[in-house]
Amino acid sequence: MKFSFTDDQDAFHDAVRDLLAQRCTAAKVRAAWSNRTGRTPDAWSALSEMGVLDALRPESDGGLGLNEVDVIRILEATGRVALPEPIVETMMVAAPLNLASVGQSASVTIPESPLAPWANSTDVVISLAADGLRAHAAAAITCTSRGSVDGARRLFQVALDDVAVASTHVAIAFRRGVLGYAAQLCGLSDTMLALTVEYAKERKQFGVPIGTFQAVKHQLANARIKLEFARPLVYRAAMSLATNDPAASMHTSMAKAVAGDAAMASAKASLQCHGAIGYTTEHDLHLYMKRAWALNAAWGDAAWHRRRISNVLLSDAQ
Amino acid sequence: MDLSFSPAEEAFRTELRAWLAANVPSPSLPSGDTAEGFALHLEWERKLFAARYAVVSWPEEFGGRDASLWEWLIFEEEYWLAGAPQRVTQNGIFLLAPTIFEFGTSAQQHAILQKMACGEQTWCQGWSEPNAGSDLAGISSTATRDDADDGWRLNGQKTWTTRGAFCTHLFGLFRTDPSAERHNGMTYLLVDLDQPGITVRGVERLDGDEGFAEVFFDDAFVPDSMVLGEVNKGWGVAMATTGSERGLTLRSPGRFLATAHKLIDLAQQLPHDATPELRDRITQAWIDAQAYRWQTFWTVTKLVEGGHTGPESSMVKVFWSELDVELHEIALDLLGPHAELVDGEFAHWMKGYQFALSGPIYAGTNEIQRNVIAERVLGLPRK
């Protein structure tokens, strides 16, 4: 048993984290809310050049041939900065199965998340469903815009009415997507709590920093506990996917359920502890909070994943 | 990353599982927090010790197996899954022993450890006092120098001492420097309870067992050889013990995994009572038990690689204690009108619920733990 990352994995993560710190600042995420695509092209091209987007693509197809464990904290880092890009869809779903070529971006819909994020600016739109898989050049399909609470996350209703190609890869692609969202949710929790701790140290009321009040401390401690016990299940699910563990489906559902709950709890505690300033769009908190709400809802929310797990756990108790 | 156990660890699990299947008492023993149950539990502890399963992680010379932390976690998983008895020796083997290994002299280790492991000496904790609970630094019991007898004279009172009425020995903090305040001037002492200067009075606990005691000291004696660590430096020694209590030695994931498992069995047994809402809560509680297991594996990897645990242990303590309450509350909700019964096949859930409710109180209340998390994990200001 060795539940930790290698030096190489650490180094890869650190490099991406440093890049994102430059290319995906809060100001850039804020700018994405009002630009045409909702995206951050600088960050995306840098990630592409580093090979991050092709990390899971087989080497024979021009990728790095890495696995889910190698990239799990990179995905967490993209959540930490609320990267407004279809990285889960491209890196986790499309690239490993070669559903998009090197350099292409992808959007994905699933029955539980029927709206395709950023589909009007990606190269490929993929649908994963029980009857199989569809992949289309985005230019060939009609997209109808829908609004997300997260202004950078552009959503589209897409019409994919052709016949699906039966594929054994649907389940694994679904798990990779779920895992990616779970990791991003952990990163978002981390950022929201860090912002709130900084604020609670600075903001004074009754002559003292509000972070000295137990009512504030305990709310943030509760959220931090949820994150502490969510992250290991996310890393473990990554390993289950990388090793084709027979229970990988359960493990990814557990990861998404706990990561979603932790992010929702962190968002709520962070807003409450910021008070009125957090209730404005002038403060950065809302950028991360709204992403957390969106990602928690997408790809099966916590309750949906728990139902999936309970159907296995409690099969005789129905 | 490698999430599998080694063949040797798996072999240890298999051998242990077989031994437990053959030896775990059935029906289960009466509560170890009663005089009769305590004696039966000591008998069980002797059996464990004879099979070298009492303290697997200790060195062989003290009755252990030199087992790794991984094997110790495996031991705990199998032990609780098999429905084996509560450990009435726990405050000695899990809380005091790690401190003796770290701070004790070789003479102390040889005098105490093996006797503790086989149940010959049973140890209770002497922390809380009538005016010092969560605020442990507020203790006022004293130990006064007795040069004539090369030791210390104890006066004062300890309280809420678990199994104090049945144990032979007590460990705890006493004030040795009257001029010092708060965290200074305390000494960690190992006290023989069988002596004239000590009166122990049992106190009935919430669940009806005589599990608590008040211990009164009236010029009781402790020789110099039973001072653990340095005189007046007891606080630092005690903090090592409370770290064990909050973290993985006292309440490892195995127990909660076993309770979650039993809860699922109960839901299967009472399918008509398992409403969608209860199914959701059962699932969440089961996930939480798994989360504790994997968070522990993460922590233990760090320890094995030479790291150490810090204030994170406060997150662990809050998590397992509140999970334990939730597991039992779900069971009571499933049981409906049967929940209140303290006899019959479901009685252990109400009993377990009452025990679980002590979790957020002992080992430092969860309110104190949340302060620690806020200040030392998150970095919020103390004042």
Side-chain angles (χ1 to χ4, degrees):
Chain A
M1 181 75 64
K2 185 181 181 298
F3 194 20
S4 61
F5 294 96
T6 63
D7 291 345
D8 283 352
Q9 287 163 344
D10 283 342
F12 193 22
H13 163 265
D14 293 353
V16 175
R17 178 200 59 198
D18 294 348
L19 179 153
L20 290 170
Q22 300 293 321
R23 307 278 182 121
C24 189
T25 58
K28 292 194 176 176
V29 176
R30 184 177 288 277
W33 273 57
S34 53
N35 72 18
R36 191 183 62 79
T37 59
R39 296 176 58 184
T40 46
D42 272 8
W44 189 250
S45 58
L47 289 168
S48 178
E49 277 162 33
M50 259 184 105
V52 173
L53 305 178
D54 298 303
L56 265 65
R57 192 189 299 276
E59 280 179 284
S60 53
D61 297 318
L64 302 180
L66 299 178
N67 67 28
E68 289 82 354
V69 177
D70 296 317
V71 298
I72 191 69
R73 277 178 314 154
I74 288 172
L75 289 160
E76 198 179 334
T78 64
R80 200 169 274 123
V81 297
L83 177 73
E85 292 289 345
I87 188 161
V88 172
E89 291 77 2
T90 302
M91 173 189 186
M92 299 297 279
V93 179
L97 299 175
N98 255 323
L99 297 172
S101 339
V102 173
Q104 286 191 319
S105 55
S107 183
V108 178
T109 77
I110 58 171
E112 292 75 25
S113 270
L115 299 173
W118 295 290
N120 74 330
S121 62
T122 56
D123 300 299
V124 181
V125 175
I126 295 161
S127 135
L128 302 175
D131 61 344
L133 186 149
R134 298 175 182 84
H136 294 273
I141 53 177
T142 314
C143 290
T144 311
S145 171
R146 296 291 307 272
S148 166
V149 67
D150 176 355
R153 198 173 132 87
R154 306 295 161 79
L155 296 176
F156 297 90
Q157 187 99 48
V158 291
L160 301 172
D161 42 17
D162 55 324
V163 177
V165 181
S167 166
T168 53
H169 298 306
V170 170
I172 186 131
F174 173 73
R175 285 169 209 156
R176 288 198 185 111
V178 170
L179 178 71
Y181 274 56
Q184 289 192 318
L185 283 160
C186 287
L188 285 159
S189 291
D190 220 7
T191 296
M192 289 186 282
L193 292 177
L195 280 174
T196 311
V197 165
E198 284 318 301
Y199 181 73
K201 284 199 242 182
E202 298 300 321
R203 169 71 174 167
K204 286 190 175 168
Q205 287 289 275
F206 306 101
V208 292
I210 61 167
T212 59
F213 300 133
Q214 283 191 330
V216 170
K217 285 181 176 172
H218 289 192
Q219 286 195 52
L220 295 176
N222 287 342
R224 180 64 183 80
I225 291 167
K226 280 191 180 286
L227 176 60
E228 176 74 9
F229 288 88
R231 214 158 12 201
L233 287 184
V234 174
Y235 296 164
R236 183 269 200 123
M239 186 64 173
S240 298
L241 283 181
T243 55
N244 297 314
D245 188 298
S249 170
M250 279 280 268
H251 298 167
T252 46
S253 278
M254 287 160 75
K256 180 66 163 59
V258 292
D261 277 346
M264 293 303 281
S266 298
K268 200 184 264 183
S270 295
L271 175 59
Q272 186 65 25
C273 294
H274 272 85
I277 188 73
Y279 203 74
T280 68
T281 55
E282 287 176 9
H283 194 281
D284 288 339
L285 176 65
H286 87 108
L287 302 172
Y288 305 98
M289 185 162 64
K290 289 171 179 169
R291 180 67 52 80
W293 294 344
L295 299 193
N296 176 59
W299 290 67
D301 64 12
W304 187 88
H305 282 284
R306 278 199 301 273
R307 266 199 307 282
R308 249 178 129 229
I309 296 162
S310 70
N311 288 338
V312 177
L313 270 189
L314 296 164
S315 52
D316 303 328
Q318 303 204 31
Chain B
M1 195 174 285
D2 171 8
L3 303 186
S4 58
F5 287 111
S6 70
E9 287 158 351
E10 292 294 358
F12 172 76
R13 188 191 287 276
T14 306
E15 184 197 321
L16 169 65
R17 188 176 287 185
W19 187 87
L20 288 166
N23 290 283
V24 167
S26 178
S28 40
L29 304 179
S31 166
D33 298 343
T34 60
E36 178 211 5
F38 187 78
L40 292 168
H41 277 76
L42 280 185
E43 216 170 277
W44 164 252
E45 288 294 335
R46 283 192 284 275
K47 196 168 189 174
L48 273 178
F49 184 79
R52 287 199 307 124
Y53 282 128
V55 285
V56 292
S57 60
W58 290 15
E60 286 191 25
E61 67 166 315
F62 299 115
R65 292 175 177 243
D66 280 308
S68 67
L69 274 173
W70 299 117
E71 286 168 322
W72 184 75
L73 290 170
I74 290 170
F75 174 86
E76 286 278 298
E77 288 187 6
E78 293 299 322
Y79 187 88
W80 298 110
L81 196 62
Q86 73 181 102
R87 303 297 303 273
V88 295
T89 54
Q90 66 172 32
N91 290 348
I93 61 174
F94 295 149
L95 304 184
L96 174 58
T99 316
I100 292 184
F101 279 118
E102 192 176 341
F103 295 92
T105 61
S106 170
Q108 286 171 334
Q109 291 176 358
H110 285 89
I112 298 169
L113 290 171
Q114 185 147 341
K115 284 182 181 164
M116 169 197 291
C118 71
E120 190 181 325
Q121 282 183 1
T122 46
W123 288 83
C124 58
Q125 303 188 80
W127 304 127
S128 294
E129 296 184 1
N131 293 313
S134 288
D135 183 12
L136 182 57
I139 64 160
S140 58
S141 291
T142 58
T144 311
R145 187 69 208 153
D146 179 346
D147 281 325
D149 292 319
D150 290 329
W152 300 83
R153 291 286 164 187
L154 310 185
N155 285 285
Q157 182 192 346
K158 297 288 179 183
T159 192
W160 319 137
T161 305
T162 295
R163 284 182 289 278
F166 320 126
C167 285
T168 60
H169 290 73
L170 173 144
F171 58 96
L173 286 179
F174 293 81
R175 293 218 163 267
T176 39
D177 179 356
S179 67
E181 285 184 350
R182 300 290 297 166
H183 305 84
N184 303 309
M186 287 184 271
T187 300
Y188 197 123
L189 298 177
L190 307 173
V191 187
D192 186 345
L193 289 173
D194 184 16
Q195 57 168 304
I198 289 178
T199 310
V200 179
R201 187 181 80 85
V203 176
E204 186 175 290
R205 256 179 2 194
L206 178 71
D207 62 2
D209 290 350
E210 199 182 276
F212 274 160
E214 295 177 301
V215 183
F216 300 89
F217 303 89
D218 183 14
D219 272 338
F221 182 71
V222 173
D224 285 334
S225 60
M226 290 295 126
V227 172
L228 189 57
E230 281 179 59
V231 171
N232 293 335
K233 298 281 168 65
W235 184 262
V237 182
M239 286 305 101
T241 308
T242 58
S244 309
E245 189 175 27
R246 284 167 201 164
L248 66 117
T249 52
L250 183 65
R251 296 283 182 258
S252 78
R255 249 180 221 258
F256 309 103
L257 291 164
T259 308
H261 194 82
K262 272 187 255 172
L263 183 60
I264 288 169
D265 286 347
L266 184 68
Q268 317 275 31
Q269 200 183 335
L270 305 169
H272 302 297
D273 300 295
T275 60
E277 190 235 339
L278 282 174
R279 286 166 56 87
D280 189 57
R281 285 172 65 199
I282 293 166
T283 306
Q284 184 59 51
W286 179 84
I287 294 171
D288 284 344
Q290 295 289 323
Y292 183 23
R293 183 175 194 243
W294 288 93
Q295 193 271 354
T296 300
F297 289 172
W298 181 259
T299 305
V300 168
T301 300
K302 243 191 268 174
L303 292 175
V304 168
E305 290 175 353
H308 52 90
T309 52
E312 292 78 13
S313 67
S314 289
M315 292 194 276
V316 174
K317 197 265 162 163
V318 171
F319 192 79
W320 62 248
S321 60
E322 295 182 1
L323 169 60
D324 203 24
V325 172
E326 172 66 4
L327 285 162
H328 286 86
E329 277 179 353
I330 298 169
L332 298 184
D333 287 348
L334 265 171
L335 287 168
H338 300 287
E340 71 169 305
L341 292 174
V342 293
D343 58 24
E345 61 170 323
F346 300 125
H348 62 97
W349 287 108
M350 179 51 87
K351 181 89 179 167
Y353 178 53
Q354 293 176 78
F355 180 69
L357 286 173
S358 68
I361 300 171
Y362 66 73
T365 63
N366 285 9
E367 287 69 28
I368 297 291
Q369 306 304 336
R370 285 185 164 93
N371 289 349
V372 173
I373 296 161
E375 290 159 18
R376 295 181 53 207
V377 177
L378 288 171
L380 287 167
R382 231 177 106 72
K383 283 189 176 135

